Amino acid sequence: MSKNWNQEQLEAITTRNTNILVSASAGSGKTGVLVQRLVELVTLDHIEIDEILAMTFSEDAANEMKKRLSSEISKLVLNADDNNKQYLQSQLSKLSNAHISTIHSFCYSILKNYYYLLGLSSKRVATLCDEATLKLYQNQVLEEIIHEKSNNKEFQILCSMLCSRPEDLQPVKNTILKVANMANSQSNPMQWLENAKRDYSTNLKNTHFYQVFMDYWHGRIYMLKDSFESLFQQLNEHYPDDVNRYEKLSLKYDTIRNLENSHDFDDLRNHVYSCARLVCPTSPDAANTIYKENRERITTIEDEILSVPPVDVMNKMIKENQCVIFELFNCVNLYFNKIETLKNEKEIIDFSDMEHFALQLLREYDEVASYYRNKFKQIMVDEFQDSNDVQDELVALICKENNVFRVGDVKQSIYGFRHALPSIMQSYKEKEDQLSYSI
């Protein structure tokens, strides 16, 4: 290997016959490790490129992975003997069609192969709705819902709660879409909505939603801690003699140091309140934008958490507004029915359909899941911290018991972006046995 890898990186590259989760911060060479592992799987283990599934979250990242893999294998071709050279060249020829892609692209490939099992038309599967057109259709459906619900008492209350002006119902549309998108990030959206409705009939802490609620705040706490660490880094690098600022920052940081382990929102909120009561020292240098941006982010996250009331107050609010909340869920159900009818009439699919149709095929047809399970000897997931429930189950349906390599940094998870759940990656970090290994 041409690069000097450290011990943990070498471990991630060379460990075999077990599931691996590599959790590392930005700039630590996570993607380089993944590419090197890919190279060695192909060149040393002789696992062919078309027997490997490598998924990431953007086309640019997938193309960069292919480019780096091509470069590394091309270098090896130059010094290879005739037999190995022929093998390596055959792998290069397969690279353009390899399953190194976004998760959506992989889902789409499943759908294109087996769409007929779901009774879908070839035209619908071949017509991907662009984002601008989808927004038009969504707005059309939302306008229909508003018109149909205009005389509904609970809907009128919902509108008055969400909208400051009666002529502007955009906040209602946004809320319906937001809940629909959150449901779509689940492996069974309709069941998730039913569970949500049931959960609002009981104490918040006894519900599935409390876990989702806490997942979000844990994600924000990770971002908060990351900003603190950036401030410490700036002080250490640029102002090492400024003991006073360092001590003030340390005192503030101590109030939230272990909060990612808290499962009680009131406890989390109380610690953040203590944190917010302590001044975050300003930068000694006004031109230090990194320090300034991270300090502002700390204040923003503190304010966001403290804007949410304690759990007992939320329970009271939920009880008082239960019928309105149920009406919101009814609107989301109606939205799903109408948008699916419209997409079926227009014979189009969107990115969410790719995931859910692929998941349906893998769940309901054993021969489809078996085909992909047998096809891929290795499965690799980059930026794993951005996985949602749909994507995690999809991998679970096609993997073997010990052939998944995941790379991510839970502190970088952007909850809301595809409704990623930090708890998914966290649960894999905590699950270590003879078949699973965390680095």
Side-chain angles (χ1 to χ4, degrees):
M1 288 180 288
S2 58
K3 183 172 177 177
N4 293 320
W5 305 99
N6 64 36
Q7 186 57 42
E8 288 182 333
Q9 289 171 327
L10 271 175
E11 210 174 334
I13 292 166
T14 60
T15 301
R16 299 290 187 268
N17 302 316
T18 184
N19 297 315
I20 297 174
L21 171 61
V22 177
S23 178
S25 59
S28 60
K30 296 190 300 293
T31 302
V33 165
L34 186 146
V35 171
Q36 185 61 37
R37 182 178 173 87
L38 259 174
V39 170
E40 296 195 11
L41 286 170
V42 173
T43 61
L44 300 182
D45 297 47
H46 277 225
I47 297 176
E48 303 207 11
I49 282 178
D50 55 5
E51 296 175 326
I52 298 172
L53 170 62
M55 296 183 289
T56 188
F57 283 93
S58 73
E59 292 288 353
D60 287 345
N63 290 333
E64 178 63 20
M65 206 182 293
K66 281 185 178 181
K67 183 178 175 183
R68 290 169 72 170
L69 184 57
S70 174
S71 174
E72 292 298 321
I73 294 178
S74 296
K75 290 175 188 175
L76 293 172
V77 168
L78 297 175
N79 298 314
D81 58 39
D82 289 342
N83 286 337
N84 206 30
K85 182 178 290 187
Q86 186 176 358
Y87 168 75
L88 292 173
Q89 287 174 335
S90 73
Q91 298 311 297
L92 285 173
S93 69
K94 293 179 178 181
L95 190 54
S96 60
N97 295 318
H99 286 283
I100 300 173
S101 66
T102 64
I103 288 181
H104 285 126
S105 292
F106 175 62
C107 289
Y108 195 32
S109 69
I110 297 174
L111 186 56
K112 285 190 290 187
N113 286 338
Y114 297 101
Y115 67 90
Y116 57 89
L117 294 174
L118 301 178
L120 299 171
S121 70
S122 57
K123 181 181 178 183
R124 182 176 180 187
V125 171
T127 310
L128 178 61
C129 186
D130 63 84
E131 191 173 342
T133 304
L134 182 61
K135 283 182 178 179
L136 288 174
Y137 290 149
Q138 287 173 333
N139 192 63
Q140 176 185 324
V141 165
L142 291 166
E143 287 286 351
E144 289 177 12
I145 292 171
I146 288 171
H147 177 72
E148 291 175 17
K149 293 279 187 177
S150 59
N151 295 320
N152 180 289
K153 181 182 176 182
E154 284 75 21
F155 184 75
Q156 290 172 351
I157 297 172
L158 178 65
C159 292
S160 65
M161 290 174 65
L162 295 175
C163 306
S164 57
R165 298 175 183 275
E167 70 273 15
D168 180 16
L169 296 182
Q170 190 60 44
V172 175
K173 294 180 183 179
N174 293 344
T175 302
I176 293 171
L177 271 181
K178 189 172 184 179
V179 177
N181 288 337
M182 189 176 289
N184 257 331
S185 73
Q186 308 299 313
S187 58
N188 190 330
M190 304 312 290
Q191 186 60 55
W192 185 87
L193 282 172
E194 283 301 311
N195 292 343
K197 197 170 181 179
R198 186 179 65 248
D199 282 351
Y200 273 102
S201 302
T202 184
N203 186 294
L204 181 62
K205 285 189 176 182
N206 299 329
T207 68
H208 166 72
F209 267 92
Y210 190 68
Q211 180 60 52
V212 176
F213 176 74
M214 290 303 295
D215 281 338
Y216 175 79
W217 295 118
H218 285 147
R220 300 302 279 165
I221 292 298
Y222 278 117
M223 291 183 70
L224 184 65
K225 292 182 70 173
D226 194 50
S227 289
F228 270 106
E229 288 166 12
S230 294
L231 294 190
F232 281 122
Q233 184 179 357
Q234 291 300 307
L235 289 176
N236 287 329
E237 289 181 4
H238 303 293
Y239 324 106
D241 299 325
D242 199 333
V243 178
N244 184 48
R245 273 187 172 82
Y246 194 93
E247 287 180 349
K248 284 184 177 179
L249 188 64
S250 295
L251 189 65
K252 185 176 175 69
Y253 181 58
D254 284 344
T255 62
I256 55 98
R257 186 182 296 273
N258 299 313
L259 267 190
E260 69 269 23
N261 298 319
S262 175
H263 299 291
D264 183 89
F265 178 73
D266 289 343
D267 176 63
L268 183 148
R269 189 178 186 277
N270 289 336
H271 278 84
V272 172
Y273 177 76
S274 299
C275 182
R277 295 282 291 173
L278 299 173
V279 174
C280 189
T282 57
S283 171
D285 179 7
N288 188 329
T289 56
I290 295 175
Y291 192 103
K292 181 182 178 183
E293 288 169 2
N294 281 281
R295 184 176 182 272
E296 288 175 353
R297 190 200 290 177
I298 287 171
T299 302
T300 298
I301 296 173
E302 287 174 343
D303 290 345
E304 182 185 0
I305 293 172
L306 295 177
S307 70
V308 180
V311 172
D312 62 338
V313 177
M314 284 191 281
N315 277 328
K316 184 179 178 183
M317 292 168 65
I318 289 169
K319 188 174 181 180
E320 290 173 350
N321 297 288
Q322 191 179 75
C323 63
V324 181
I325 294 168
F326 285 2
E327 180 58 27
L328 172 59
F329 288 132
N330 291 337
C331 289
V332 175
N333 264 313
L334 188 56
Y335 168 81
F336 275 133
N337 291 334
K338 284 180 173 290
I339 198 71
E340 175 56 28
T341 299
L342 191 148
K343 286 189 288 188
N344 202 34
E345 287 174 356
K346 301 288 184 181
E347 293 198 284
I348 56 171
I349 60 169
D350 59 24
F351 284 107
S352 178
D353 292 327
M354 288 182 190
E355 289 186 339
H356 283 284
F357 285 142
L359 195 59
Q360 185 180 352
L361 284 164
L362 294 171
R363 270 180 179 162
E364 296 180 7
Y365 296 92
D366 289 341
E367 66 272 26
V368 177
S370 294
Y371 169 78
Y372 289 102
R373 197 177 301 117
N374 294 327
K375 178 179 177 64
F376 298 123
K377 293 182 179 178
Q378 288 287 315
I379 297 174
M380 312 178 88
V381 184
D382 196 13
E383 304 297 345
F384 180 56
Q385 75 277 355
D386 287 329
S387 288
N388 62 31
D389 191 58
V390 178
Q391 296 148 0
D392 188 50
E393 183 172 346
L394 188 139
V395 172
L397 287 166
I398 61 172
C399 70
K400 297 181 175 69
E401 63 178 8
N402 63 348
N403 71 331
V404 185
F405 181 85
R406 300 174 174 92
V407 177
D409 175 14
V410 75
K411 288 190 291 185
Q412 288 182 277
S413 182
I414 308 170
Y415 188 94
F417 180 54
R418 294 174 294 269
H419 293 274
L421 294 175
S423 62
I424 292 177
M425 181 167 175
Q426 194 63 35
S427 68
Y428 280 96
K429 286 179 72 175
E430 294 166 1
K431 176 189 174 185
E432 190 162 316
D433 53 33
Q434 67 270 25
L435 298 174
S436 299
Y437 188 53
S438 190
I439 299 174

